[in-house]
Each structure stands twice: as C-alpha cells, then as structure tokens.
Amino acid sequence: NAGVTQTPKFQVLKTGQSMTLQCAQDMNHEYMSWYRQDPGMGLRLIHYSVGAGITDQGEVPNGYNVSRSTTEDFPLRLLSAAPSQTSVYFCASNSEGTFEAFFGQGTRLTVV
Amino acid sequence: ILNVEQSPQSLHVQEGDSTNFTCSFPSSNFYALHWYRWETAKSPEALFVMTLNGDEKKKGRISATLNTKEGYSYLYIKGSQPEDSATYLCAFDTGTASKLTFGTGTRLQVTL
C-alpha cells in the first residue's frame, strides 16, 4: 500500500543550490501535481501533469521545473534555490475516473 | 486566481460538541468540491468529493452539504472527539482534479 511516495522528507539547501524532489505513485494514476504549503495560505499549485509527457504550469511555477517521462514519476526540480522557496511541498495524484486526490507525506524544505 | 475561502480559521471545542465549518467558492466553472482532513505531520486525506447541487455526503459523524448556485459548502461534525482534531481543507475543482484550488483551511482542536 505505498500510494504516493515523496523523498526526501526533510532538506536544507543553501541559496543557489539545485535539487530534485522525488514523487512516485503506484496506483497507475494519470494525473499528478505539486503543491506548496506556506503558513496562512492554502495549498498552491506549482505544476501539474495529465499524463506521461504532458505538463503544465499552476499558480506559482517560477523557479521550478517538472517532467513526466513515466506514469509513475513526477520529479520537481529547483534550479537555483531561494529563501522564498522555503516551504512544505506535497505531491498528489489521482485518476481520471475518480475525483479524490491522494497526497504524499510532504517534503519540508528550508533554504538558507 | 480563484478565490476559495474557509471560515472560521480556527475552532476550539469541547468533546461532545457539534460544530460546522464553511467553504465558499466561485459559482461559475464548478465541477466538484473536495473536503480533505489534514492531521499534523501527515498528508491530507480525502473526506468527500461533491459534484451536484444539493449533494449531501456522510461518513460516520462527519457530513457535508453543497450549494453550487450560491457557492458554498458546509462540513458538520457531530459529537466531536479529540481524534477529530485536524485542519479541514476544501478545494474547488474546475474539471481536472490535478488542478485544485484550496482554501486556507479550518483548524479544529477538540479537548476533553
């Protein structure tokens, strides 16, 4: 019962460093998304994908890249980390046939 | 940017109290309204997904109603228990469940 798996759970980066947040799901879901959670704000959509090879921008895409080479994986790349990217990141997936989204456990990222 | 609002921001009740929260959303481009329960240090979990005006859903002591014409949904908890303590999120869905717009949540604390 893995569901949606995110790695790492915690990460500290220095300003300017790059890294990739991993997200994998084993439910054969077509749709996958990345959100960030900041204090006092709702989950905000960064990027999403409706299938392998198809990605699009959400509400707050700047500073992040994504790709979807397989149905299972949807990595989120920070190209040059900035303190404003300090946040908790959630990956989610769902199937076209069901509405509810399944979330990973989150990655708490701190950029110093 | 879609405006999804939840009230109250936080709520503190005694065990056994019944309580309710509100989610307001745009009345246009409606496809579905999601409710999620989010415990600290865990991932959000789906409670309900509602699609039709007048929908009522129930899961144990928790129920929800939907009014798409006026753009609001209520979540009710009957006889609150300490294990109900969590943040309750609603999310507005325009048709692709990988693109949800979340409210900021209602944080519920239930004490003995």
Side-chain angles (χ1 to χ4, degrees):
Chain A
N1 261 6
V4 180
T5 303
Q6 286 183 239
T7 55
K9 290 187 178 178
F10 302 95
Q11 183 72 51
V12 178
L13 287 179
K14 292 183 179 179
T15 298
Q17 285 185 316
S18 63
M19 80 160 293
T20 300
L21 279 61
Q22 302 291 345
C23 176
Q25 53 94 5
D26 62 359
M27 297 173 282
N28 203 32
H29 285 169
E30 300 93 338
Y31 304 146
M32 296 186 75
S33 312
W34 276 102
Y35 295 87
R36 59 178 288 175
Q37 168 69 50
D38 300 297
M41 307 188 78
L43 290 163
R44 292 184 293 167
L45 182 66
I46 305 171
H47 285 284
Y48 68 100
S49 169
V50 298
I54 306 170
T55 64
D56 206 346
Q57 296 180 352
E59 181 186 350
V60 288
N62 292 341
Y64 308 95
N65 273 358
V66 292
S67 60
R68 184 102 180 267
S69 56
T70 67
T71 300
E72 294 78 19
D73 300 300
F74 191 43
L76 178 73
R77 296 183 188 86
L78 282 69
L79 305 175
S80 178
S84 60
Q85 294 178 303
T86 294
S87 187
V88 181
Y89 292 85
F90 285 96
C91 177
S93 76
N94 66 291
S95 169
E96 186 176 7
T98 59
F99 294 97
E100 66 178 280
F102 293 82
F103 286 84
Q105 296 276 15
T107 296
R108 184 174 293 275
L109 175 68
T110 302
V111 183
V112 297
Chain B
I1 296 176
L2 300 171
N3 193 24
V4 178
E5 295 184 352
Q6 290 187 246
S7 62
Q9 282 190 328
S10 63
L11 200 52
H12 189 167
V13 302
Q14 300 285 330
E15 182 182 16
D17 288 348
S18 294
T19 187
N20 64 86
F21 325 134
T22 304
C23 173
S24 61
F25 52 86
S27 54
S28 59
N29 295 321
F30 178 87
Y31 187 75
L33 192 283
H34 301 228
W35 281 101
Y36 291 86
R37 180 173 181 274
W38 187 12
E39 288 183 71
T40 303
K42 294 187 178 180
S43 53
E45 292 184 347
L47 283 172
F48 306 113
V49 181
M50 308 169 78
T51 58
L52 297 176
N53 185 44
D55 247 357
E56 291 188 24
K57 300 261 185 177
K58 187 175 181 181
K59 187 182 289 188
R61 295 179 290 98
I62 304 176
S63 60
T65 60
L66 178 68
N67 184 322
T68 60
K69 292 183 180 178
E70 296 183 36
Y72 65 83
S73 175
Y74 293 137
L75 187 78
Y76 300 92
I77 301 179
K78 184 178 178 182
S80 302
Q81 300 296 311
E83 57 264 32
D84 295 328
S85 297
T87 296
Y88 292 82
L89 301 170
C90 70
F92 181 70
D93 182 353
T94 57
T96 304
S98 58
K99 282 185 68 178
L100 299 176
T101 301
F102 283 84
T104 54
T106 293
R107 186 176 178 183
L108 173 68
Q109 189 172 357
V110 183
T111 53
L112 298 170

